[in-house]
Amino acid sequence: MGDYILSSVVNVFSFPALGGFLFGYDIGATSFVVQQIIDGEHSGVTWSKTLDDNIQLQGAVTSASVLGALIASIMVFKLSVIIGRKAELQIGSLLYLLGAVVEGISANSSWDANSGITVLIIGRIIYGLGIGFSMHGAPAYIGEMSPPDIRGFLMSLKEAAIVVGILAGYLVGFLLSNTNGGWGYTFGVAVIPAGLMFLGCMFLHESARWLFQAGRKEEALASLTWVFPASKAEQTLEEFRAQDEGNKAAHKAEAGGEEEAAPTVWDPRFRPALIAGVGLVFLQQVTGQPSVLYYAAEIFDSAGLSSVATVAMAAFKLFMTMLAVFTVDRYGRKLLLYVGISVMFVSLLTLAVAFSQMPTDSDSGDGDSDSSLSGTKIVVLVALFTYIGGYQIGFGPIAWLLIAEVFPMEVRGQAVSLAVQTNFFWNVVTSYLFPLILDALGPAYTFGLFGAIDLLALYHVFANVPETKGLTLEEIEQLFNPKTAGGRMVSSVSAVDRTPLLQSEEDDNRSM
């Protein structure tokens, strides 16, 4: 066991991770909810046909939570500096709870179409606001409070919590799919973990790094002592102080000896970290992940396997995510990214070739276009699952782990907010553009295009992403800005053994 207090570390992870679970639950539950609402037999509401006849309204119901999440991620860009991580998580849990209640109320059978659909969309937006606050607060809090040697494990486990939520949403939706008005209960179930998250977060200590940055040094030490033995807590606080003094000295020198205004994430000195972290989140979305899942659902549906397959796919995602969880602190972030993105590339190439051989509906011959699982479709399904596996051991957990690691404390809140905005924005853009690109290029060239972007992602990891395994957040900061902390620097080559390289003033001056 490492040099930390296990019970506190469990709390550091568990309650913030419920924010990820509730995000995943919404993804899984919504896929069943929309289908049940438009099913007149089991919807339990008078406006089932109204929603069934209007594809735009269906899209609005599905995407309203993403809109709420995007709005919240913009709000926390500035709020996170003021209110802290703990308050973010508490606000997120309350929004989850309120959103779930409003979503459940929208299933009231006495309401007409305007009232029911309006209340449902409002509930979805409120729930989405909870996603935005929680998906900002959770990675920032876990990343800042976790012991360095298990930070990768805990951050990857947070991604697993999202997948567990997806699986739970699928299961609850499936179990209630034949219950009259069951979709309201499916949404309402989220009240239980949301309430548990709120109560649990009340007993968390605020992030020690946020407290230190806010000038509350004694509270920061108390927070560190909650997680670490007293001697380790005091040593860590001294590291905070050394890093802070180094930052101030370096920034003052760059400003010509004048006091510098509060920095923002757009400052040129943070550009390498911005390119490394936010670049990963961008590439995570534009390498086809939403689109590949769309095709998987379509093929499963054509074979009459949709209900069983969605649960099986979530279980497979969880298995592959857990593989990353138990290897990220052993093999490092870059290796898992290399492996995961390479597997995605091979899968996308296979999909491109397979679809180029698959006959269209107008073709005659081997019958691959019917509802049976032909040889080509089996190849496609294997490639789809392989793609999902690659994503879950690479981009899925590692992108968010690095986002929580690579930014200095002074701009970490802004950076995580920007990453969340990037995630939701490009998810929406990719999902919207995919049918248009598919119509213009066809599936073979579309997946070939995603494969080409995947190669760009491999280069991005090689050129811009350092290895951060086992380093403290202060040591990681020095990877991107070696002039801070009194000239201390950590080599990316020696990052594995966490040995800071001390350079003389003469060497430091020569490198400037």
Side-chain angles (χ1 to χ4, degrees), residues 59-60 62-71 281-282 284-286 289-291 420-437:
T62 302
S63 62
S65 62
V66 179
L67 174 62
L70 185 58
I71 292 170
V281 175
F282 166 73
Q284 179 192 55
Q285 292 301 315
V286 299
Q289 200 247 356
S291 312
V420 175
Q421 293 172 47
T422 302
N423 175 77
F424 288 118
F425 176 78
W426 284 105
N427 187 306
V428 171
V429 169
T430 304
S431 300
Y432 175 77
L433 290 180
F434 175 69
L436 304 179
I437 297 172

Side-chain angles (χ1 to χ4, degrees), residues 91-353:
I91 292 170
S93 63
L94 286 174
L95 288 167
Y96 273 141
L97 197 154
L98 178 60
V101 169
V102 175
E103 286 173 328
I105 290 174
S106 68
N108 190 321
S109 59
S110 65
W111 280 344
D112 59 19
N114 287 336
S115 299
I117 294 174
T118 300
V119 172
L120 176 57
I121 291 176
I122 291 173
R124 301 281 297 141
I125 292 174
I126 295 172
Y127 195 97
L129 291 170
I131 293 173
F133 272 91
S134 299
M135 295 310 291
H136 181 278
Y141 184 84
I142 296 173
E144 290 172 4
M145 291 293 285
S146 298
D149 54 340
I150 59 168
R151 187 176 58 244
F153 170 79
L154 294 178
M155 288 295 295
S156 300
L157 201 59
K158 183 195 71 68
E159 175 70 18
I162 297 175
V163 182
V164 171
I166 294 173
L167 182 57
Y170 282 152
L171 288 172
V172 174
F174 177 74
L175 292 173
L176 296 175
S177 58
N178 292 321
T179 302
N180 191 46
W183 62 271
Y185 297 108
T186 300
F187 275 146
V189 164
V191 166
I192 299 172
L196 181 61
M197 178 183 172
F198 176 76
L199 293 174
C201 287
M202 289 179 63
F203 298 98
L204 294 179
H205 285 241
E206 179 57 87
S207 162
R209 285 178 169 86
W210 183 87
L211 288 168
F212 184 90
Q213 197 67 28
R216 295 154 63 176
K217 308 295 193 298
E218 292 183 4
E219 292 175 72
L221 180 59
S223 179
L224 288 170
T225 306
W226 179 55
V227 176
F228 301 102
S231 59
K232 176 67 175 177
E234 291 172 359
Q235 176 189 341
T236 304
L237 188 68
E238 285 304 312
E239 291 174 3
F240 290 1
R241 189 173 286 114
Q243 185 69 37
D244 184 58
E245 291 173 356
N247 284 338
K248 288 177 179 177
H251 301 165
K252 189 173 182 178
E254 291 174 2
E258 298 180 2
E259 290 296 327
E260 186 188 41
T264 71
V265 74
W266 307 113
D267 191 294
R269 67 176 176 269
F270 303 130
R271 193 169 298 152
L274 199 65
I275 291 171
V278 178
L280 271 182
V281 175
F282 166 73
L283 289 165
Q284 179 192 55
Q285 292 301 315
V286 299
T287 46
Q289 200 247 356
S291 312
V292 168
L293 294 181
Y294 164 84
Y295 247 110
E298 182 183 81
I299 293 175
F300 281 132
D301 187 59
S302 73
L305 301 172
S306 57
S307 295
V308 175
T310 50
V311 176
M313 186 180 297
F316 180 71
K317 282 167 68 75
L318 177 60
F319 172 79
M320 297 305 296
T321 304
M322 294 307 295
L323 186 62
V325 166
F326 288 104
T327 56
V328 64
D329 281 322
R330 174 181 297 180
Y331 299 112
R333 286 61 160 151
K334 289 192 76 163
L335 179 60
L336 290 191
L337 282 171
Y338 282 139
V339 172
I341 296 171
S342 298
V343 169
M344 289 168 61
F345 173 73
V346 172
S347 303
L348 288 166
L349 193 63
T350 302
L351 287 168
V353 173

